[in-house]
Amino acid sequence: MRFLTLVFCAAGMLLGGCVREELKTIDVFYTADAEGFYWSRPEPRLENREAGGYAVLKSFLDKQEPAFLLFDGGNWFGSAPEGSMTKGAYVAELAGTLPYTAASVSDKDFAYGWPSLRSVVRELPYPFVVSNLTLENKIPWPMHDYQIRTVDGIKIGIFGLVGASAINKNKSRLPGFRAQDPVESAQKMVSLLKEKGVDYIILLSSLGDSGSAGDAELAAEAGGINLILSANKDLENAETDQVGETFIVYPGAKLDGVAHVRLSFDKKTNQFRGVSFEDVALLKESFGEDVQIASRAQTLLNETRKKMNARVTELPHALETSLSRESELGSQLALCLHRWAKLDGAVINSDSIRAPLPAGRVSEYDLYKTYPYGDNITFLTMRGDALLRALEASLNEKDNFPQAAGFTVTYNPSAPAGQKIKQVVLEKNGRVVRPRETYRIAVTDHVLAGGLGHDKFIDSLEFKNTFVEARQIMRSCLARQKELPAKTQHWKVAK
């Protein structure tokens, strides 16, 4: 077992230390940054003893006194492909069986878009609190801005915060979302909860490494928060801190431990008196495993690993990608979409291609790492002048070069913005794209929503969402090819 126990007494007590009085206690347990590690396994930092996972956590909780509070801070996907490839489906199946009081999410949980995250959240039987996040100026359903729970006469207010900068800079994948300033939101929530007569305020914070102000800065500036439960840090070990009267706890990542916070209150007045912290390793030898959860976790694990290892294709050489220029991998993936759509052309953005494909055997997981998003393909009917404007605008975004197939673009990269493209020629018939003629182009819904840094593709005459995932098309295309097509240069620099 690994224990770290700290005790803080409430401000205003005698200088001689914590006085003896009749106290009542509330146990708070907290998990965060599971990052896809939902099963027990030999844990190197615990001398390779088996630890972690929801089955051990459930068995541990079954041994605790009733009426505790249990919270989770999100960040479900992270470094484990078993979590990423399921897009968090394991959370609803496994975490949904645990008696969580409330939970929050991190900006990383939005990696596959809001519809994917919402489908997970709405399956869970406990509420989610994200107080500074809005969708079209409302708290996104089924989330809440706060919750209030009463335990043994103590009224506890709970709210959540996500990192504002990480959400707000991702407008193309999260259209309509806006994250408010965490400090301002915290101040408003503290004021609201105190008006409602709460005795103690808990913040579920995923500010973590998102680039926003950290939890210590938030505690100092916002004031009035009694306990901050931190997430989104991806740190191996648990951490604690104290800023003024605010106690801050981080439980460590990968669900191999659970943070145990014990709150003490005066029995007569309900006034807060102190907090203690214990970092509990979820060792299988100490707590055992819940049989049903362990069985389901193993089934999910087997299914995911079988899928991860499935062969997609063999490549004679690695296909490299680039953010700043046309790449062989980008052209190949765009060509896959073009061949499937059988239209005049196809366009995807480089920023969605996250990794190269290796030489030799390419697995399902390799392809997933290359294109991890669940983007669907949309067919556009565009006038030639609208297509030229969209391609021109696509050259203005740094590190997100448009990858294309079906047509060749002659351009001058050093020309002023708006004057770079000289000519676009369709490859199927050699015809030059004319302003008043119409053309049909396949794009991802992400590109349509602004994935290339602009919304010019919206200037189309017709839209048809195929509801077919881009990665599904790429997989089928790569699997069918016996050899790679000869390298084709779709973007040519004007001489």
Side-chain angles (χ1 to χ4, degrees):
M1 299 283 293
R2 53 190 170 110
F3 295 101
L4 173 61
T5 303
L6 301 174
V7 179
F8 295 94
C9 295
M13 298 189 69
L14 297 177
L15 294 177
C18 301
V19 297
R20 291 187 175 276
E21 55 187 322
E22 290 219 34
L23 301 175
K24 54 185 174 183
T25 60
I26 297 175
D27 288 316
V28 176
F29 298 103
Y30 179 55
T31 58
D33 295 3
E35 298 184 352
F37 288 87
Y38 55 80
W39 67 98
S40 62
R41 69 276 171 189
E43 179 54 52
R45 71 190 189 91
L46 297 173
E47 300 175 346
N48 283 323
R49 289 180 289 177
E50 278 203 63
Y54 289 107
V56 179
L57 175 59
K58 177 64 163 59
S59 186
F60 165 79
L61 293 170
D62 287 344
K63 296 174 172 59
Q64 308 308 308
E65 292 295 324
F68 57 77
L69 298 174
L70 175 65
F71 299 106
D72 184 76
N75 190 10
W76 296 324
F77 308 119
S79 56
E82 291 84 359
S84 298
M85 290 193 71
T86 62
K87 299 181 183 178
Y90 75 87
V91 180
E93 286 209 50
L94 303 181
T97 64
L98 273 67
Y100 279 103
T101 306
S104 190
V105 294
S106 81
D107 58 88
K108 294 172 183 173
D109 294 316
F110 288 85
Y112 309 110
W114 169 236
S116 176
L117 177 58
R118 182 180 58 199
S119 68
V120 175
V121 169
R122 68 186 181 189
E123 291 297 319
L124 292 164
Y126 45 86
F128 279 74
V129 286
V130 186
S131 312
N132 68 326
L133 187 67
T134 59
L135 174 58
E136 305 297 349
N137 299 316
K138 296 180 181 178
I139 297 293
W141 181 89
M143 297 188 180
H144 307 265
D145 50 355
Y146 70 92
Q147 293 282 285
I148 295 177
R149 294 290 183 270
T150 300
V151 181
D152 198 10
I154 306 296
K155 199 173 182 181
I156 297 175
I158 307 139
F159 71 103
L161 295 175
V162 295
S165 61
I167 295 292
N168 294 337
K169 73 180 182 182
N170 203 8
K171 294 179 181 178
S172 62
R173 288 202 176 274
L174 298 173
F177 274 88
R178 179 72 184 171
Q180 309 300 322
D181 178 76
V183 174
E184 293 179 6
S185 297
Q187 291 170 338
K188 291 177 183 178
M189 291 308 305
V190 168
S191 177
L192 173 64
L193 291 170
K194 286 186 175 179
E195 286 178 8
K196 293 184 176 295
V198 302
D199 302 299
Y200 194 82
I201 296 177
I202 296 175
L203 163 62
L204 304 182
S205 167
S206 65
L207 300 184
D209 59 3
S210 64
S212 305
D215 293 320
E217 292 83 357
L218 178 76
E221 293 185 44
I225 304 170
N226 300 105
L227 175 64
I228 296 179
L229 300 176
S230 298
N232 202 16
K233 291 185 175 181
D234 190 24
L235 298 176
E236 186 173 279
N237 296 309
E239 292 184 344
T240 60
D241 194 7
Q242 188 178 24
V243 177
E245 297 181 15
T246 303
F247 189 45
I248 304 172
V249 170
Y250 175 69
K254 300 180 181 178
L255 201 62
D256 62 2
V258 59
H260 177 197
V261 182
R262 175 162 289 176
L263 308 176
S264 300
F265 298 86
D266 183 272
K267 261 191 177 180
K268 296 179 181 178
T269 65
N270 283 349
Q271 286 187 327
F272 174 65
R273 288 297 184 234
V275 57
S276 65
F277 170 72
E278 181 181 38
D279 176 24
V280 183
L282 291 175
L283 292 168
K284 184 176 176 180
E285 65 192 47
S286 299
F287 306 112
E289 283 188 312
D290 179 271
V291 175
Q292 289 185 327
I293 296 179
S295 175
R296 187 55 190 151
Q298 188 59 53
T299 300
L300 287 172
L301 197 60
N302 293 341
E303 291 173 354
T304 306
R305 289 182 173 172
K306 182 179 179 180
K307 183 179 179 181
M308 281 194 305
N309 292 325
R311 176 188 177 279
V312 174
T313 190
E314 297 275 341
L315 293 178
H317 61 269
L319 293 182
E320 299 296 331
T321 186
S322 173
L323 294 174
S324 59
R325 57 176 173 77
E326 182 179 19
S327 67
E328 186 178 6
L329 177 56
S331 294
Q332 173 66 36
L333 297 182
L335 180 60
C336 285
L337 302 185
H338 176 232
R339 286 177 170 175
W340 175 81
K342 296 182 175 63
L343 304 181
D344 294 312
V347 179
I348 58 177
N349 64 308
S350 295
D351 190 56
S352 291
I353 305 171
R354 307 305 297 177
L357 283 176
R361 185 180 185 274
V362 175
S363 69
E364 182 74 23
Y365 183 51
D366 291 323
L367 180 59
Y368 191 92
K369 287 190 296 182
T370 291
Y371 204 97
Y373 304 107
D375 299 336
N376 290 336
I377 298 301
T378 297
F379 293 167
L380 307 178
T381 301
M382 307 182 72
R383 277 172 48 115
D385 51 0
L387 175 59
L388 292 170
R389 285 194 300 270
L391 293 174
E392 180 75 41
S394 300
L395 293 172
N396 296 330
E397 185 73 8
K398 184 180 178 182
D399 291 337
N400 201 6
F401 195 88
Q403 306 292 330
F407 53 82
T408 301
V409 184
T410 302
Y411 75 114
N412 181 356
S414 60
Q419 303 176 35
K420 296 181 184 296
I421 292 179
K422 304 304 178 184
Q423 190 179 66
V424 177
V425 179
L426 299 182
E427 293 174 350
K428 66 180 179 180
N429 55 23
R431 295 180 62 181
V432 175
V433 170
R434 303 296 182 188
R436 295 185 179 277
E437 295 182 7
T438 58
Y439 304 90
R440 300 194 72 204
I441 305 295
V443 300
T444 63
D445 52 9
H446 176 53
V447 165
L448 182 61
L452 278 162
H454 64 84
D455 60 359
K456 298 296 184 182
F457 282 100
I458 204 73
D459 297 331
S460 297
L461 302 174
E462 293 179 351
F463 307 85
K464 180 183 178 182
N465 192 331
T466 67
F467 298 101
V468 179
E469 280 197 6
R471 191 172 60 250
Q472 176 184 333
I473 298 168
M474 296 167 185
R475 179 193 302 113
S476 299
C477 171
L478 291 170
R480 287 196 307 267
Q481 290 182 161
K482 294 184 178 180
E483 59 182 33
L484 289 174
K487 291 183 182 180
T488 303
Q489 191 175 357
H490 300 284
W491 289 84
K492 297 182 179 180
V493 177
K495 296 182 179 179

